[in-house]
Amino acid sequence: MFFPYPEQYRLALPPILTAFMVCWALVGHAIFGDANQFAIAILLLLFPLILGLHVYLIWDAGGLKRLDQAFYGFVHGTLAFVVWTFCIMHLAGNGFA
């Protein structure tokens, strides 16, 4: 058995990916500079992955836990969207100007 608590790892994966988005934006801007298409493409793939993980968590939950997972997905999805937007803006730098 690889993970002693697989349920907790599964629930923590969307916030971990959100933290990875922030790290990727900071490191990607330092390495690649402004408006690098590769760095932005990674971010463009991460947010739908986070939403997909939340849909999976809702689908996999049973009974009233679905409502809990839906609330968790709504709150985290909204916050992740804001973080994602600022990460894209940080990576773009002066590329929009």
Side-chain angles (χ1 to χ4, degrees):
M1 178 169 3
F2 291 109
F3 302 114
Y5 306 107
E7 180 69 21
Q8 284 81 3
Y9 287 109
R10 210 166 47 107
L11 293 175
L13 195 55
I16 289 171
L17 286 176
T18 304
F20 177 72
M21 275 195 311
V22 173
C23 293
W24 178 257
L26 294 173
V27 171
H29 188 265
I31 292 173
F32 299 118
D34 287 347
N36 183 280
Q37 295 301 312
F38 173 72
I40 292 176
I42 298 296
L43 281 183
L44 293 177
L45 292 174
L46 281 175
F47 183 67
L49 179 65
I50 290 170
L51 292 181
L53 284 171
H54 279 300
V55 169
Y56 170 73
L57 288 173
I58 293 168
W59 180 267
D60 194 40
L64 285 176
K65 285 187 70 177
R66 281 199 175 142
L67 184 60
D68 295 337
Q69 290 296 334
F71 182 72
Y72 170 51
F74 175 72
V75 170
H76 181 254
T78 305
L79 295 174
F81 177 76
V82 173
V83 170
W84 180 64
T85 305
F86 282 109
C87 286
I88 290 175
M89 289 171 52
H90 180 71
L91 273 178
N94 293 326
F96 288 132

